[in-house]
Amino acid sequence: MNEPIKTDVLIIGAGPCGLFAVFELGLLEMKCHLVDILDKIGGQCAELYPEKPIYDIPGVPFITAHGLVDALMAQIKPFAPVFHLQEMVETIEKVGDPLFRVTTDLGKVFEAKLIVVAAGGGSFQPKRPPVPGIEAYEGTSVFYAVRKMEQFRDKRLLIVGGGDSALDWTLNLAPIARRLTLMHRRDQFRAAPDSVNKMRALVADRTIDLKLGQVTGLEGEGGVLRAANAKPDKGEPYRIECDNMLPFFGLTMKLGPVANWGLNLAEDLIPVDTAAFETNVPGIFAIGDINSYPGKLKLILCGFHEAALMAQKAYHYIFPDKRLVFQYTTSSTSLQKKLGVM
Ligand SMILES: Cc1cc2nc3c(=O)[nH]c(=O)nc-3n(C[C@H](O)[C@H](O)[C@H](O)COP(=O)(O)OP(=O)(O)OC[C@H]3O[C@@H](n4cnc5c(N)ncnc54)[C@H](O)[C@@H]3O)c2cc1C
């Protein structure tokens, strides 16, 4: 087993509520690690609506979702949170009172005194394309995310999709692949124009191939892919020899492993008390979209409030012998020192 990473608090989910929890816990001298399955920080704000304006953050008349994530990152910088992206928390085991051993799908192990579940609507999971028998190749030849680029060195790659992920990985993997084919249903792409232009330049100088069509079947055996069969909207079916296929068809949100952590659930949400937003397991808190209580609103500002109250109770677990004195950031020199503003 890997050597555990020890931390006061492990936050599951780096959405806006998980990020603000770092601030509230940091003011009270608790150190945090955060794990998120996405390859970026910001949860729904970053993944679903980065360019959209948000109008209901208190005291901020207008900010884009991306701008809010940037602002939260600046706000929590003094507390040096450690992020573990592209990893999904799979198991939580209670090993002390309270002390938890947490493992991710990449085999990383944490030992955390407390856990804050800020998992939003659950984990974002890739949409599987409707290709018969694709399951037999998943994890061996078909991948929905790129965890380690080296895995694809000198391979014949088929990337399928027309959005930002498909185009970004086309550009990133083209230099290391033996041959790379990008396939999309039509000759129009939803990705950033700059990425589309770069991709077209690679096609023009024959560094990569661009094919129009949809994958209809896979050839291979024992999970080892040999070729993909495809069909364009108009014209004859064709075949592409490939070692790996990487479909990028967007993400859906599923509760995922949260359901297996021994927490009470009510309609896929975690019931909490409204004094500390603690779950039925002492030492495990749930804030943001993932929790439920009478009157709950799935708003970022509600998650921020929950983070502040959660941190007060968390303090008593981490520092059982210390008295917690309530302080304002405007007037407390000790808080201002922690924030690095004096
Ligand atoms: C289009 C749209 C517009 C919106 N507009 C507004 C608005 O104007 N104002 C407003 O207040 N709210 C708005 N919301 C809602 C707001 O985005 C959510 O309330 C907020 O994102 C919840 O934050 P969170 O941190 O609880 O969860 P999320 O933002 O959902 O983040 C949760 C994170 O947890 C991760 N995760 C889940 N399970 C695991 C696991 N097992 N291991 C590792 N990581 C995991 C996920 O990958 C995700 O990144 C909008 C939502 C949408 C979709």
Side-chain angles (χ1 to χ4, degrees), residues 12-18 35-38 42-45 48-49 52 54 56 87-89 118-124 253 257 261 287-289 298-301:
I12 304 172
C17 303
V35 181
D36 201 301
I37 195 167
L38 293 177
Q44 294 175 48
C45 293
L48 300 180
Y49 61 106
K52 276 194 198 285
I54 304 178
D56 56 358
E87 282 190 64
M88 179 165 71
V89 168
S123 38
F124 288 93
M253 284 173 92
W261 296 340
I287 61 167
D289 279 13
K298 287 188 182 182
L299 283 176
I300 294 166
L301 73 91

Side-chain angles (χ1 to χ4, degrees), residues 27 75 78 329-330 332-342:
L27 282 182
Q75 195 170 20
T329 54
T330 39
S332 159
T333 48
S334 100
L335 291 184
Q336 288 166 6
K337 273 187 194 148
K338 288 175 198 161
L339 290 168
V341 291
M342 70 166 296

Side-chain angles (χ1 to χ4, degrees), residues 129-315:
V131 179
I134 191 169
E135 299 88 335
Y137 297 93
E138 287 171 351
T140 49
S141 297
V142 172
F143 298 94
Y144 297 102
V146 177
R147 296 281 174 92
K148 288 202 175 91
M149 281 181 39
E150 270 309 303
Q151 177 184 0
F152 301 107
R153 183 174 289 280
D154 298 328
K155 296 283 169 65
R156 296 166 304 170
L157 303 182
L158 173 60
I159 294 184
V160 191
D164 281 310
S165 297
L167 272 281
D168 286 353
W169 285 120
T170 296
L171 300 178
N172 280 302
L173 292 172
I176 65 167
R178 170 136 72 101
R179 191 71 203 165
L180 190 149
T181 306
L182 172 65
M183 187 189 294
H184 186 40
R185 203 160 52 80
R186 53 206 175 101
D187 198 17
Q188 282 162 346
F189 293 85
R190 299 180 313 280
D194 181 51
S195 306
V196 177
N197 291 339
K198 285 183 178 149
M199 177 274 291
R200 290 206 190 278
L202 291 179
V203 175
D205 71 14
R206 295 173 190 271
T207 304
I208 65 168
D209 301 310
L210 173 63
K211 290 280 195 183
L212 300 186
Q214 283 173 280
V215 176
T216 53
L218 300 175
E219 288 176 29
E221 56 202 24
V224 179
L225 190 62
R226 210 169 35 236
N229 299 307
K231 194 178 167 317
D233 277 353
K234 290 180 197 144
E236 290 301 307
Y238 57 90
R239 180 175 180 275
I240 295 175
E241 293 195 349
C242 54
D243 304 303
N244 294 125
M245 179 167 98
L246 291 89
F248 294 107
F249 282 37
L251 300 166
T252 54
M253 284 173 92
K254 291 205 178 117
L255 188 60
V258 178
N260 309 324
W261 296 340
L263 302 174
N264 285 346
L265 288 178
E267 295 179 12
D268 283 356
L269 297 169
I270 303 174
V272 287
D273 68 73
T274 50
F277 302 94
E278 197 168 15
T279 68
N280 61 305
V281 178
I284 303 187
F285 299 84
I287 61 167
D289 279 13
I290 192 76
N291 73 14
S292 78
Y293 53 85
K296 166 76 183 183
L297 290 178
K298 287 188 182 182
L299 283 176
I300 294 166
L301 73 91
C302 296
F304 288 174
H305 158 82
E306 293 159 15
L309 270 60
M310 171 277 295
Q312 300 284 311
K313 175 99 186 251
Y315 183 88

Side-chain angles (χ1 to χ4, degrees), residues 14-23 41-42 45 57 63 65-79 81 83 300 304:
C17 303
L19 295 180
F20 194 63
V22 173
F23 183 80
I41 291 163
C45 293
I57 302 299
I63 192 165
H66 185 265
L68 176 65
V69 174
D70 283 351
L72 285 165
M73 286 299 285
Q75 195 170 20
I76 66 178
K77 193 163 175 241
F79 304 115
F83 289 92
I300 294 166
F304 288 174

